[in-house]
Amino acid sequence: MSFNTAELVKRWTALSMRERYLLVLGLAVLLLGIGYAMIYAPLQVENHRLRQQLQAQEQIRQHLQYVSERVSALRASNNEAPLAGGEPGQVIADSSRQLDLQAYVQMQQAADGQVDIAVQNMPFNELVYWLAVLQQQHAISLIAIDIQQTGAETGLVNGRLTLGGALPGS
């Protein structure tokens, strides 16, 4: 099946003016439909996705700003020397109990005086506040952290933390 231009021109001239108009109009509608489906619709979908992503990032920015202000206020209100607290594991257990975080936290004492902690479905705000309390009041520092958000825009995290006895350089 080969394409014969002469045959196409012959058929075109054989059509009445009304048929030619309908064919041109049908071709224009077909091209508009293809243009919409191939160009405009995907751009709108991507635009919507990017707007949602921007909104989520803005919420994260606002949340981190709130947490930063809260930590700064905690630091400013607690300028005295860190409290002596004994074993890091016991201090961490006591502080998690005081802040009612036992439901989220599972602790395991490591051999080198560090404490490995697994957190499940813990509110991020409470985690940051707890870590700030441990650092400011008990001189227990965060050595390693690996957390992931549990779902889209929930504010809950899962992960592992390693906490140590003294702040670096003290």
Side-chain angles (χ1 to χ4, degrees):
M1 183 173 189
S2 65
F3 182 72
N4 188 351
T5 310
E7 179 70 25
L8 187 61
V9 170
K10 182 179 171 185
R11 284 185 180 216
W12 180 258
T13 56
L15 295 174
S16 69
M17 188 57 110
R18 184 182 198 175
E19 291 170 332
R20 287 181 195 171
Y21 178 72
L22 280 173
L23 276 174
V24 168
L25 185 63
L27 183 61
V29 168
L30 179 67
L31 289 175
L32 285 173
I34 290 172
Y36 176 82
M38 300 296 286
I39 298 170
Y40 185 76
L43 286 175
Q44 289 303 325
V45 168
E46 181 67 9
N47 187 16
H48 180 69
R49 186 190 67 78
L50 289 173
R51 285 183 189 272
Q52 286 180 330
Q53 186 178 4
L54 180 65
Q55 184 179 21
Q57 288 178 351
E58 179 63 23
Q59 288 174 348
I60 290 170
R61 185 194 65 78
Q62 289 173 352
H63 176 72
L64 290 176
Q65 185 176 7
Y66 166 76
V67 169
S68 172
E69 290 169 0
R70 191 168 167 189
V71 168
S72 296
L74 179 64
R75 284 183 179 160
S77 69
N78 193 8
N79 286 333
E80 66 261 7
L83 303 173
E87 289 294 315
Q90 186 59 44
V91 171
I92 292 168
D94 290 344
S95 70
S96 69
R97 197 170 15 267
Q98 288 172 352
L99 295 173
D100 197 28
L101 302 175
Q102 308 94 309
Y104 310 117
V105 176
Q106 294 177 341
M107 293 187 299
Q108 184 175 3
Q109 186 74 31
D112 55 358
Q114 297 177 352
V115 179
D116 292 325
I117 300 172
V119 294
Q120 286 290 123
N121 295 321
M122 184 172 193
F124 182 73
N125 289 347
E126 292 182 28
L127 174 64
V128 171
Y129 180 76
W130 183 44
L131 292 174
V133 167
L134 288 172
Q135 182 177 7
Q136 292 295 315
Q137 295 181 4
H138 304 289
I140 293 177
S141 61
L142 180 64
I143 295 171
I145 186 168
D146 179 23
I147 59 173
Q148 295 86 32
Q149 187 174 358
T150 59
E153 302 179 31
T154 61
L156 302 177
V157 294
N158 293 336
R160 300 196 70 68
L161 312 168
T162 301
L163 299 174
L167 293 168
S170 11

